[in-house]
């Protein structure tokens, strides 16, 4: 191991924990490291692991969530030991590999691990894998850990796994890694940060207020400023506002769409010595340190992609930042000295504790494809920190089957196996593989490189954008490098003779986005093959086209806006999808006609190329059509009784396990055919379906042993000391909250403790009410309320309700449901 240079002589908090980490990894193959920001875990721990005796036979992989963080970590560690990247410390990410025969530590981005495991499940020559910044819970990190644990359990018992971050959900990780897994804590090294709040007036120009906040912070505090905004659009708006108001400042952007050199400039002090304002996305939230920053201005918003299984589209949502992320952002101001954080929201603004794991809100098509490649048809065979949601996984598998990549048993088809060579989304992998049918591989490589690129802001016309790149590769170096990489995999050049197959190529990748003009009178309105309407401006050149393929939509469930599209000829659609030439029975609920409409059609999905009347409605087809109509509604019409029943069963499933059914709304929508389908005999109208007693149907679907235990474990009513039988509210149990008993305070005199159900395991949350049935106290600990809360309630209520009993000792008083004392 090369000797460390003097520049790394400063002691960091993690140094004191390195012996514990090494000692724990010797007997144990799994370790959790919770190290606060500034501890030095990312650059100190991997180098220390290389010195361990049990590491000398193999290399370590360090996973970083972002490319810029991976490059910085690799560069810093290489410099620390007096080398350049590619020697002892290497770097591997999509489109960039800098490793050599002496490389013992590879810094990789998270998707690389999945590819390495798929290519070699044994991970030959790898001593261990480090998952850095795991708290970000990216889809690739969750999948990588699940596959690594599976490989470790079945093939490589000696493979060591280290999961580390500043904030980890230790309990959830121990559940999948094993309760015996050592957990090592390490404090960070940070300076005090003073936090201020400044809520913006939403009725006034928000950007102007943000700019004023930045300039005032620079005037009042020392150091450079880091401004964290939700996206690139917001960054550029604020930059335009700041530029004329502060000409002496160095305004820099920091986000994932920038070239590497621009990212590096944003992280380092200004060469001219000017004060800097770095306008960044959440890329600056963790993993990287922006030199010289002592001021953080947090806009308090984050932009997250949310996949909608019902529409098959991903929509970007801008949300209030969660508390963990806000604290991470605040910490950026105290990395190199005392700092200041200005939060552009009110101090009273509530924040949720943590963000959602990406696996709960992402497009799961890549994950479903990787599971099939791993040979897994049931995701429950793997250990997940957060299991993939059933509805999203089902939608992903439906897409992969439509693309021809999976068969009915969720195994890879011949096309699916061939598509594994492409390091891209399964949609685009299917397009690249099938492009040979159109003699259009070079065009497909160029198109995929552009669709996955980050330099398409200005262009809206897909064909024009592609022509520009093909005509001047130097002006689009990033695109050209990616296109050449794909062409190398395809073993073809990049000579494109014609753009004619463009529509067909997109139709191969986005079959559900093939769209048909809605009618002659509505130019720009299109019916998508996957269902729903999408629009183009009436002035758009494609507004009158018969068929188009939408390459980019805004993700709205209905009335989606089409941003980029290409025309498609009917004959070419029929050639790509021969099933579009076959007649099929189609039934759908017509809102206009108020009934089921049936006809014989041929086409693709909701795109109808021809139709003819249907004489009779087949019973099974009617049933399927009604169930489809319910699914499209996205919500079932549960009445109060049904919601209470679902809550009771949800509570029992949580307490007793999978013996009780999953009656979550999402699962019930996905299994309509099983529990509701048999009850649709003779039903032809959707309104009749909506009137069915869903609660009774669900209750009747329970096995008799469960039905007999339901009332005993989760009774509908509880007897209270006054003698009343009060109905419990179980709807909070649908959100993993306790059941609620709303009862007048006087009726529970004599109860020493909160009541419990489910054989005494689950305490009931009491909503104690005044004589006017208004809330006085919410408590899950009645004994504590009598001792601490009741005296104050008694003092306040005696004057307001003098004719009602308010005894000094409620534990010995007679409970009563009467509104007045006995005379």
């Amino acid at each position: 191991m090369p000797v460390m240079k003097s520049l790394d002589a400063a002691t960091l908090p993690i140094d004191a924990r390195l012996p514990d980490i090494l000692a724990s990894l010797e007997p144990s193959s799994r370790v959790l490291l919770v190290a606060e920001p500034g501890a030095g875990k990312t650059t100190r721990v991997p180098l220390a692991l290389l010195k361990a005796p049990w590491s000398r036979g193999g290399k370590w992989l360090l996973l970083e969530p972002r490319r810029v963080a991976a490059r910085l970590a690799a560069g810093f560690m290489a410099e620390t030991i007096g080398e350049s990247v590619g020697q002892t410390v290497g770097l591997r990410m999509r489109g960039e590999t800098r490793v050599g025969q002496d490389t013992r530590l590879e810094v990789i981005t998270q998707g690389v691990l999945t590819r390495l495991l798929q290519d070699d499940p044994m991970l030959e020559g790898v001593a261990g894998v480090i998952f850095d910044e795991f708290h970000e819970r990216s889809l690739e990190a969750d999948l990588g850990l699940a596959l690594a644990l599976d490989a470790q359990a079945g093939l490589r018992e000696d493979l060591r796994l280290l999961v580390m971050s500043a904030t980890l959900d230790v309990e959830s990780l121990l559940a999948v890694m094993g309760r015996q897994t050592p957990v090592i804590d390490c404090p960070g090294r940070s300076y005090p940060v003073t936090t201020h709040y400044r809520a913006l007036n939403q009725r006034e120009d928000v950007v102007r207020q943000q700019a004023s906040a930045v300039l005032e912070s620079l005037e009042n505090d020392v150091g450079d400023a880091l401004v964290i905004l939700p996206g690139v659009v917001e960054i550029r708006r604020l930059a335009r506002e700041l530029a004329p108001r502060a000409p002496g400042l160095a305004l820099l952007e920091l986000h994932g769409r920038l070239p590497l050199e621009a990212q590096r400039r944003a992280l380092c002090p200004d060469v001219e010595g000017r004060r800097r304002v770095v306008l960044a996305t959440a890329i600056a939230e963790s993993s990287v340190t922006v030199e010289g920053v002592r001021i953080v201005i947090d806009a308090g918003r984050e932009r997250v992609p949310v996949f909608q299984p019902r529409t098959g589209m991903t929509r970007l949502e801008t949300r209030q930042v969660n508390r963990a992320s806000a604290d991470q952002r605040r910490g950026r101001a105290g990395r190199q000295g005392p700092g200041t954080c200005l939060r552009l929201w009110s101090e009273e603004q509530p924040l949720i504790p943590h963000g959602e794991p990406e696996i709960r809100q992402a497009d799961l098509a890549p994950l479903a494809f990787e599971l099939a490649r791993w040979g897994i048809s049931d995701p429950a065979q793997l250990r997940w920190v957060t299991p993939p949601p059933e509805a999203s996984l089902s939608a992903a598998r439906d897409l992969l089957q439509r693309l021809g990549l999976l068969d009915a048993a969720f195994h890879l088809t011949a096309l699916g196996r061939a598509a594994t060579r492409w390091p891209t989304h399964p949609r685009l992998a299917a397009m690249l593989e099938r492009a040979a049918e159109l003699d259009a591989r070079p065009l497909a490589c160029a198109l995929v490189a552009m669709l996955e690129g980050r330099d398409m802001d200005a262009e809206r016309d897909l064909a024009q954008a592609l022509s520009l790149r093909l005509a001047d590769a130097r002006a689009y170096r990033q695109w050209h490098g990616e296109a050449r990489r794909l062409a190398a995999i395809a073993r073809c050049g990049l000579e494109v003779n014609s753009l004619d197959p463009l529509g067909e190529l997109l139709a191969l990748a986005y079959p559900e986005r093939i769209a048909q003009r809605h009618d002659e009178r509505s130019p720009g309105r299109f019916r998508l093959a996957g269902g729903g309407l999408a629009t183009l401006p009436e002035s758009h050149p494609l507004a009158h086209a018969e068929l188009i393929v939408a390459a980019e939509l805004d993700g709205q469930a209905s009335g989606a806006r089409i941003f980029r599209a290409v025309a498609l000829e009917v004959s070419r659609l029929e050639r790509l999808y021969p099933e579009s030439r076959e007649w099929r029975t189609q039934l759908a609920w017509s809102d206009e006609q108020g009934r089921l409409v049936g006809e014989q059609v041929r086409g693709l999905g909701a795109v109808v190329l021809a139709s003819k009347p249907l004489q009779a409605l087949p019973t099974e087809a009617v049933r399927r059509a009604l169930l489809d109509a319910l699914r499209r509604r996205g919500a079932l019409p549960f009445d109060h009784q049904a919601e209470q029943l679902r809550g009771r069963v949800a509570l029992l499933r949580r307490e007793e396990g999978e013996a009780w059914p999953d009656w979550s709304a999402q699962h019930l929508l996905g299994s309509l055919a099983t529990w509701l389908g048999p009850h649709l005999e003779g039903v032809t109208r959707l309104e009749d379906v909506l009137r069915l007693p869903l609660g009774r149907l669900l209750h009747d679907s329970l096995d008799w042993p469960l039905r007999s235990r339901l009332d005993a474990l989760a009774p509908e009513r509880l007897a209270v000391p006054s003698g009343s039988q009060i109905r419990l509210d179980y709807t909070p149990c649908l959100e993993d909250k306790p059941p609620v008993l709303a009862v007048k305070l006087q009726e529970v005199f004599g109860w020493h403790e909160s009541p419990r159900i489910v054989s005494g395991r689950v305490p009931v949350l009491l909503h104690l009410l005044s004589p006017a049935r208004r809330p006085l106290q919410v408590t899950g600990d009645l004994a504590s309320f009598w001792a601490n809360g009741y005296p104050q309630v008694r003092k306040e209520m005696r004057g307001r309700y003098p004719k009602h009993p308010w005894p000094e000792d409620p534990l010995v008083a007679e409970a009563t449901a009467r509104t007045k004392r006995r005379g």
Side-chain angles (χ1 to χ4, degrees):
M1 180 76 189
V3 178
M4 292 190 180
K5 293 172 64 179
S6 59
L7 63 88
D8 201 41
T11 300
L12 291 171
I14 197 66
D15 294 336
R17 296 291 193 271
L18 292 177
D20 295 336
I21 297 169
L22 295 175
S24 298
L25 277 169
E26 185 169 5
S28 176
S29 60
R30 304 168 187 170
V31 169
L32 299 180
L33 172 60
V34 184
E36 295 176 4
K41 66 182 185 311
T42 298
T43 54
R44 287 287 221 267
V45 172
L47 293 176
L49 290 174
L50 297 186
K51 300 178 182 179
W54 34 263
S55 287
R56 288 176 184 158
K59 70 173 78 170
W60 278 82
L61 305 177
L62 170 63
L63 274 72
E64 289 296 328
R66 296 183 174 93
R67 296 165 68 93
V68 62
R71 288 193 180 103
L72 286 169
F76 183 83
M77 287 188 287
E79 187 179 359
T80 297
I81 58 177
E83 296 181 354
S84 58
V85 176
Q87 295 177 272
T88 301
V89 179
L91 177 66
R92 189 188 298 267
M93 63 181 67
R94 179 172 174 174
E96 183 177 356
T97 301
R98 295 162 67 187
V99 297
Q101 60 182 6
D102 298 324
T103 299
R104 297 196 55 223
L105 170 63
E106 285 191 24
V107 185
I108 63 176
T109 46
Q110 292 169 340
V112 172
L113 176 64
T114 302
R115 293 199 293 275
L116 292 175
L117 280 164
Q118 294 283 20
D119 292 340
D120 177 17
M122 290 284 291
L123 282 184
E124 294 284 358
V126 174
V129 182
I130 306 166
F131 293 81
D132 194 17
E133 305 293 358
F134 192 78
H135 74 278
E136 296 195 10
R137 298 297 309 278
S138 73
L139 178 63
E140 290 176 328
D142 275 19
L143 174 61
L145 180 61
L147 296 184
L149 287 169
D150 195 49
Q152 185 189 60
L155 301 169
R156 281 287 311 277
E157 291 183 0
D158 63 323
L159 180 69
R160 287 168 167 82
L161 303 177
L162 173 60
V163 179
M164 59 187 198
S165 181
T167 54
L168 283 177
D169 183 351
V170 173
E171 280 303 308
S172 296
L173 279 163
L174 289 178
V176 296
M177 298 181 73
R179 292 291 172 185
Q180 74 284 0
T181 302
V183 180
I184 299 172
D185 290 293
C186 179
R189 185 179 72 179
S190 61
Y191 295 88
V193 177
T194 303
T195 305
H196 303 290
Y197 291 84
R198 179 172 174 172
L200 302 183
N201 187 340
Q202 299 301 317
R203 297 181 180 180
E204 298 179 5
D205 189 321
V206 170
V207 178
R208 187 172 300 166
Q209 294 177 77
Q210 289 173 340
S212 296
V214 172
L215 296 175
E216 289 173 24
S217 294
L218 290 169
E219 185 177 334
N220 297 331
D221 299 293
V222 299
D224 293 338
L226 173 65
V227 186
I228 303 181
L229 297 156
V232 176
V233 171
E234 290 82 359
I235 284 175
R236 292 180 177 165
R237 284 175 183 162
L238 183 53
R240 287 195 298 269
E241 179 68 26
L242 279 171
R245 295 174 63 176
L249 292 176
L251 293 177
L252 299 161
E253 297 182 11
L254 178 59
H255 50 79
R257 294 166 64 170
L258 289 174
L260 174 60
E261 190 53 42
Q263 290 178 346
R264 284 177 174 159
R265 281 199 306 272
L267 296 170
C268 301
D270 184 59
V271 292
E272 299 177 16
R274 293 175 298 172
R275 215 167 169 197
R276 294 180 307 146
V277 175
V278 180
L279 308 175
T281 60
I283 194 174
E285 192 173 293
S286 60
S287 303
V288 301
T289 295
V290 185
E291 293 285 337
V293 164
R294 303 278 286 278
I295 303 167
V296 166
I297 298 158
D298 184 0
R301 310 290 285 171
E302 61 181 350
R303 187 158 292 142
V304 293
V306 178
F307 180 69
Q308 301 166 302
R310 188 162 62 92
T311 63
M313 293 186 286
T314 296
R315 177 166 53 90
L316 285 174
E317 284 189 1
T318 303
R319 300 174 174 175
Q320 183 75 29
V321 71
N322 63 78
R323 191 185 312 132
S325 291
D327 290 343
Q328 286 271 4
R329 296 176 179 191
R330 176 182 179 274
R332 298 287 106 183
R335 296 299 290 267
Q336 297 176 309
T340 301
C341 175
L342 176 60
R343 290 173 165 172
L344 300 181
W345 65 88
S346 69
E347 190 169 2
E348 295 75 25
Q349 172 72 48
L351 303 179
I352 60 172
H354 299 280
E356 279 271 285
E358 189 181 5
I359 199 169
R360 286 185 177 163
Q361 52 193 13
D363 172 11
L364 295 190
L367 180 141
F369 187 66
E370 295 296 345
L371 289 181
R373 188 178 176 190
W374 192 252
I376 294 289
S377 57
D378 180 5
Q381 294 175 255
L382 298 178
R383 300 180 190 179
W384 300 94
V385 181
T386 301
E390 289 184 24
S392 297
L393 184 62
S394 176
R397 285 171 160 171
D398 286 347
L399 170 64
L400 296 181
Q401 289 174 333
R402 201 178 305 129
L403 293 169
L405 301 175
L406 293 188
D407 61 21
F410 309 133
H411 299 144
L412 291 178
T413 62
L415 176 64
R417 289 190 293 274
T420 60
R421 64 176 171 152
W422 302 103
T424 187
H425 192 284
R427 288 182 182 277
L428 303 180
M431 178 221 289
L432 286 162
E433 198 59 38
R434 291 192 62 187
E437 302 171 18
L438 308 173
D439 194 23
R441 271 272 169 77
L443 178 60
C445 293
L447 177 59
V448 169
M450 187 178 69
L451 291 174
E452 293 202 320
R454 300 178 179 272
D455 57 350
M456 285 189 64
D457 291 87
E459 299 108 353
R460 287 301 184 202
D461 184 83
L462 211 59
Q464 180 187 27
L466 196 53
S467 297
L468 288 172
R469 285 155 178 74
L470 291 168
D472 188 0
R474 280 190 202 173
Y476 300 94
R477 292 183 180 178
Q478 187 176 348
W479 163 82
H480 191 244
E482 179 64 13
R484 279 190 306 166
R485 190 170 73 93
L486 294 171
I489 296 173
R491 297 181 180 177
C492 70
L494 278 177
E495 298 78 21
V496 175
N497 298 320
S498 171
L499 297 183
D500 283 350
L502 199 55
E504 290 167 277
L505 289 174
L506 287 172
L508 290 173
Y510 303 102
E512 81 285 8
R513 295 188 194 173
I514 297 171
Q516 183 178 36
R517 192 173 71 241
H518 192 242
D519 60 55
E520 295 283 346
R521 299 162 296 175
S522 305
R525 285 171 56 83
F526 291 86
R527 174 74 64 183
L528 296 165
L533 291 175
T535 62
L536 280 172
E538 289 189 18
S539 59
H540 195 283
L542 293 176
H544 293 271
E546 179 68 23
L547 285 181
I548 63 172
V549 186
E552 186 179 341
L553 297 157
D554 66 3
Q556 295 296 322
S558 61
R561 290 175 57 213
I562 301 171
F563 291 123
R564 295 184 181 91
V566 175
L568 179 67
E569 295 176 11
V570 171
S571 60
R572 298 195 178 195
L573 168 63
E574 293 177 334
R575 183 174 67 175
L576 289 177
Y577 294 101
E579 63 267 32
S580 65
R581 297 196 293 264
E582 299 173 1
W583 290 96
R584 69 181 190 277
T585 298
Q586 178 172 288
L587 292 177
W589 179 257
S590 170
D591 289 327
E592 295 85 358
Q593 300 181 45
R595 64 182 181 87
L596 282 173
V597 176
E599 56 184 351
Q600 288 281 94
V601 301
R602 62 176 184 85
L604 190 68
V607 170
V608 176
L609 303 178
S611 64
K612 56 186 180 182
L614 187 65
Q615 299 304 317
L617 301 182
T619 302
E620 186 54 37
V622 170
R623 194 194 325 269
R624 285 198 305 269
L626 288 169
L627 294 178
D628 285 344
L630 275 178
R631 290 189 193 97
R632 285 196 298 275
R633 284 170 57 91
L636 291 167
F638 293 122
D639 59 16
H640 179 74
Q641 179 186 4
E643 290 291 79
Q644 292 296 322
L645 176 63
R646 289 178 57 231
R648 294 165 73 192
V649 171
L651 173 64
L652 295 176
R653 180 178 172 85
R654 185 171 74 235
E655 292 298 318
E656 298 202 330
E658 295 184 1
W660 294 90
D662 180 359
W663 281 354
S664 64
Q666 188 178 64
H667 185 269
L668 289 175
L669 273 173
S671 57
L672 285 172
T674 303
W675 68 273
L676 184 60
H679 302 282
L680 298 184
E681 189 71 35
V683 178
T684 60
R685 300 177 64 84
L686 186 59
E687 61 188 49
D688 294 334
V689 178
L690 299 179
R691 284 199 290 261
L692 289 173
L694 300 186
R696 181 171 60 77
L697 299 182
L698 286 174
H699 185 272
D700 292 347
S701 72
L702 286 174
D703 294 337
W704 175 250
L706 293 182
R707 229 183 292 177
S708 62
R709 297 179 66 219
L710 178 64
D711 288 335
L713 295 173
E716 290 187 71
R717 296 175 180 269
L718 272 187
V720 298
S722 68
S724 299
Q725 296 278 336
I726 308 293
R727 188 179 296 275
L728 283 159
D729 181 7
Y730 285 95
T731 54
C733 300
L734 295 169
E735 299 178 0
D736 286 341
K737 296 176 182 177
V740 169
L741 184 72
V743 58
K744 287 183 181 180
L745 178 62
Q746 281 80 8
E747 296 204 55
V748 296
F749 291 159
W751 246 353
H752 286 238
E753 295 181 346
S754 297
R756 290 174 171 267
I757 58 174
V758 193
S759 301
R761 296 197 299 274
V762 178
V764 171
L765 187 66
L766 292 172
H767 285 201
L768 300 176
L769 309 178
S770 73
R773 303 198 65 82
R774 291 176 180 162
L776 291 175
Q777 185 78 23
V778 174
T779 181
D781 186 348
L782 187 59
S784 176
F785 167 71
W786 291 137
N788 304 305
Y790 177 72
Q792 183 64 32
V793 169
R794 178 176 182 266
K795 179 179 178 182
E796 294 176 358
M797 292 293 109
R798 287 178 69 194
R800 187 175 300 179
Y801 300 101
K803 294 184 178 181
H804 293 77
W806 300 100
E808 287 190 24
D809 188 352
L811 295 178
V812 298
E814 180 184 357
T816 177
R818 295 175 180 269
T819 58
K820 295 181 180 180
R821 293 175 176 172
R822 295 179 185 270

